[in-house]
Amino acid sequence: MNKLQPIIIKYAGALLLASLLFAACKKDDHFIGGTPTDPYAKSNLTTYDYLKQNKLFDTLVLMIDRAGMKDEINGNVTFFASTNYSIKTLIDVRTKLIQLKYNNENIKYTLDSFPVMELRDSIRAYMYKGNVERRNLSLERQVFKNMVGEDFIIRLVETTDYSGIFSKPVQYLELTKIIDGQDPDPLPENYPDARKDIADIIQTSGILTKTGVLHVLRNSHKFYWIR
């Protein structure tokens, strides 16, 4: 087996950092996704090395290596990282497509099947210049351009769903891909699904690495926002 073949869902019980969804900060201000304390969670590792040491990112690291993007990932950027689970979803979809195309259920899509330029664009779609940190965000919609020029909304979202656990409303960090201009608010009942923006929750946010900022998308995220 080629060493670049994806290593996927081998660590179903692994946890990322000390918290997956919940993290509380001082003064009873509670949040979902990350540790918005001052100072933030800091690492003396570069962004690439931080990802490489965590088994949840095995496949992502292989993609970065194949794309030759280690230096870019270690630049002054904010990176929204996808776990093995997210990338597996895309590979499964592409496997089904090529099996149907060639009427052969034995064909498998792997990381080696990705054109290198597509890999680079896919990874850059999760990268933003400079620091995008929770303390600079709010409940208002703010639009950011990723490093391939696509528009995304990055904001905090507040919920009272966990009132039985926390004494105050909690906030989580949300990344939204704008599909056809920003969705109207409120969303009409008959608004076409194909035009709806795609929102994803950040399961761990605000990791300050030696070289940049790292946020981690939840495992259910579909890599490159496939529908």
Side-chain angles (χ1 to χ4, degrees), residues 7-214:
I7 304 171
I8 299 168
I9 307 190
K10 292 172 59 180
Y11 308 92
L15 293 177
L16 180 60
L17 297 179
S19 168
L20 194 59
L21 284 178
F22 294 101
C25 79
K26 57 187 178 181
K27 298 181 182 179
D28 203 31
D29 294 325
H30 299 293
F31 297 81
I32 295 176
T35 51
T37 55
D38 189 12
Y40 281 19
K42 292 185 177 180
S43 171
N44 60 359
L45 299 174
T46 66
T47 298
Y48 176 87
D49 287 340
Y50 186 95
L51 295 171
K52 191 168 185 177
Q53 73 162 1
N54 195 308
K55 297 298 183 181
L56 280 175
F57 304 114
D58 283 346
T59 311
L60 178 60
V61 169
L62 289 175
M63 295 176 75
I64 293 169
D65 288 344
R66 184 160 188 264
M69 293 183 62
K70 178 179 178 179
D71 288 343
E72 285 190 51
I73 291 295
N74 282 340
N76 180 26
V77 300
T78 296
F79 185 49
F80 287 80
S82 297
T83 67
N84 297 334
Y85 301 86
S86 297
I87 300 169
K88 180 182 183 300
T89 301
L90 175 60
I91 290 176
D92 285 348
V93 168
R94 295 214 170 171
T95 293
K96 290 179 181 178
L97 288 175
I98 63 171
Q99 286 176 349
L100 288 172
K101 179 178 179 180
Y102 295 105
N103 192 28
N104 184 346
E105 62 181 14
N106 295 316
I107 298 177
K108 302 294 181 183
Y109 201 95
T110 71
L111 289 189
D112 289 337
S113 305
F114 282 99
V116 171
M117 288 308 300
E118 181 185 357
L119 269 184
R120 289 173 181 165
D121 284 345
S122 297
I123 295 169
R124 287 174 183 143
Y126 291 89
M127 297 169 62
Y128 298 80
K129 292 181 179 179
N131 290 9
V132 181
E133 300 181 45
R134 181 191 286 270
R135 59 186 161 191
N136 298 323
L137 301 172
S138 69
L139 299 177
E140 299 298 320
R141 297 180 175 183
Q142 296 183 56
V143 178
F144 296 79
K145 282 192 181 294
N146 63 16
M147 293 186 68
V148 291
E150 298 170 327
D151 288 336
F152 281 78
I153 298 168
I154 306 176
R155 63 170 178 166
L156 300 175
V157 177
E158 191 167 86
T159 179
T160 58
D161 289 350
Y162 306 97
S163 57
I165 302 174
F166 297 128
S167 60
K168 293 183 180 181
V170 297
Q171 295 177 335
Y172 59 84
L173 186 62
E174 183 181 76
L175 177 70
T176 301
K177 180 177 175 61
I178 299 175
I179 301 300
D180 187 20
Q182 292 189 45
D183 285 349
D185 187 16
L187 199 66
E189 290 185 7
N190 61 346
Y191 199 73
D193 288 341
R195 294 180 58 190
K196 290 180 181 177
D197 296 340
I198 304 174
D200 266 296
I201 293 173
I202 306 307
Q203 71 179 18
T204 304
S205 67
I207 304 166
L208 301 184
T209 70
K210 187 177 179 180
T211 53
V213 179
L214 180 65

